[in-house]
Amino acid sequence: MAWLSSVPRTVYLGTFVSAPHPGPDAGLEIRDGAVLVSAEGVIEKCDWSVRSAEEARRVFGLEEEVVVRTLGPGEGNGFWFPGFVDTHIHAPQYPNTGIFGQSTLLDWLDTYTFPLESSFGNPNSPFYTSHPTHNPPTNLLTRAKRIYCRVISRTLASGTTTAAYYATIHVEATNALADLALELGQRALIGRVCMDEARTCPEYYRDESTEISMANSRACVEHCRSLDPSGERIKPILTPRFAPSCRLSTLTALARLAKQEKLMVQTHISENTSEIEMVRRMFPHSDSYAAVYDEAGLLGEKTILAHAVHLSREERALVKERKAKVAHCPASNSALGSGYCPVRTLLEEGIDVGLGTDVSGGFSLSVLEAVRQAYLVSRTVAYHAGGNTKYNIGFAEGLHLATVGGAKVVGMEGRIGAFREGMLWDVQEVRLGRVDGHGKGGSSAVDLFGWETWEEKVAKWVWNGDDRNVKRVWIGGRLVHEQD
Ligand code: GUN
Ligand code: FE
C-alpha cells in the first residue's frame, strides 16, 4: 500500500508558523529554522538556529544524503503550517454545498439532506426524481466514489490533513470512502450513519432495525480495521446521526459496542431549538439532550459532539465530566440560523473544542473559513454579552482550535497539530502573493506589499486565503497534494 512505503528522510528549512498554545493571549509561534523528518514521516529534530542546508546537515549530524526542501522569503512569502483537522464533515452532502434556501435544521434535513444522502445507495431515492436531468446511474457505487474522490481531493487541497467524516447508511459506499481516503492519503475517521427511528427518518432512507443498524456498523468498523489495523490513518467511528433519528435500543447497543471495541463515537447535540424540543418530546424521561446520550452510555472521552450551541450549564458540566469533545461548526450554525455557540464558555469550563466545517450545513469545506466564522460568531457572542471581549476568539486562537484543538477532539493529541519532535509531519506549505514594484500581484487573494510583519501576513492569510495559497500538503511525511 502506498502509504506504507517510506519517504526519503527530509530536512525542511524556512519559516514555521503554528498556534500550539491555548488561550486568548497565546498568539502564534513563528520560527525560522529547520525540521528533520524521518522516513516514517515523524519529526525527528527541530532546530531554530539553523539558516542553511549545510548548517542543518552539521547540526543534525547527517552523513548520508538527505532531501532538503527550502522555503525562503524569496519564494512567495512561504511558510509551513500544521495541517488542519476538520472535526465534523458530511462527505455525501458535498454536492449540496451552498444549497439550503431559507431552511433551518429540521426542514433542511427533510428537503435537501435525506434525499441526497439516500441517493448513495437507493436507486428510488427522491433525489433522482427531483433532478430530472440526473437519471439513477446503473452503478450507484461508481457515482458515490466520484463524489467522495472530489471531497477528499478538495479538502486535501484546502489543507485538511485529518477529517472526521459522516458517510451515509450504506455499507458499500461508506467502505468506498474509507478506501479512497487511504488511497489519497488523508487521515480519516469514517462513520457509517445510524438512523432507524421511523418517526423521524423517511422510509426511503433508514435502517430497518436495531439489528441491521448494528450489523452494518460492525461491517464498516471491520472494513476500516482491515485497511489500517493501527487506526492512525483510517479509523472507524460509530455514528448515531442524532438522538431523534435513533431508537433508544440502537443508542444503547452502539454504546455497548463502543465500550467493547474501544471505538470512537460521533453525533450531533443541541444545534437548534426545535431539535431540542423534539428531543424533549421523544425522550420525556431524560432531563436533557446530553442526559439522553449519557443514559444510553454514549458520552465518553472518545465521543465527538457536533455543535453544542444551546447546552445548559448542567449539560456542559456533564460533557466536561465525561470528557466528551465538541466540534464547533460556526459556518453551519450561521447558515442554518441555529444560533451562536459560546465557545469561550465551553473552553473556560474545561471542554476540548475543535473546528468543523459541517458541510453542507456549512457552506464551505475549508477549515480556514471555519476559523474566520469562529472569529465572527465569537464577536456576536461578545456583543450579546454586553460587549465583553473575553468571548472573542481571535485568529490565532482559531488556528489553535483548527490544529491542536482538533487533534484532541479526534484522539490524536500530541501526534499532530504542531512542530514538535515525535509528532507526525502533517503539514501544509502556504504561499502568499507578493505585489511587485509595478503593482502587479499573484493569482491568490492575499497580496503582500513587503512591509507586513509575520503576524500581519498570517492574519491576511486567515482572512483572505484559500486553496490557491496551499502549494503542497504532506501527511505522515508523504506528499499528498501539490498544486500544478
Ligand atoms: N443533525 C442531524 N443530522 C444532521 C446533519 O446532517 N447536519 C447537521 N448540521 N445537523 C444534523
Ligand atoms: Fe453535521
Side-chain angles (χ1 to χ4, degrees), residues 249-363:
S249 54
T250 306
L251 295 176
T252 50
L254 285 167
R256 259 198 313 277
L257 180 62
K259 285 211 176 70
Q260 273 164 12
E261 296 285 329
K262 298 190 171 43
L263 289 162
M264 292 198 65
V265 174
Q266 61 183 350
T267 190
H268 297 86
I269 195 168
S270 202
E271 175 177 2
N272 160 296
T273 52
S274 306
E275 169 211 15
I276 296 167
E277 191 46 46
M278 183 159 70
V279 171
R280 203 169 283 137
R281 271 187 274 115
M282 291 178 75
F283 299 89
H285 303 300
S286 296
D287 281 346
S288 68
Y289 201 156
V292 172
Y293 290 138
D294 195 47
E295 284 154 18
L298 281 168
L299 277 195
E301 61 184 334
K302 289 174 177 290
T303 304
I304 307 175
L305 301 168
H307 304 296
V309 174
H310 306 285
L311 291 181
S312 66
R313 184 183 296 277
E314 291 73 27
E315 287 179 293
R316 295 196 303 268
L318 183 57
V319 168
K320 151 88 172 116
E321 197 181 322
R322 298 286 182 261
K323 300 194 175 77
K325 324 294 187 209
V326 166
H328 173 44
C329 306
S332 165
N333 296 155
S334 296
L336 294 179
S338 301
Y340 303 106
C341 178
V343 174
R344 176 69 61 220
T345 307
L346 298 178
L347 292 170
E348 273 185 353
E349 294 180 6
I351 297 171
D352 290 329
V353 179
L355 297 184
T357 60
D358 194 26
V359 162
S360 66
F363 51 84

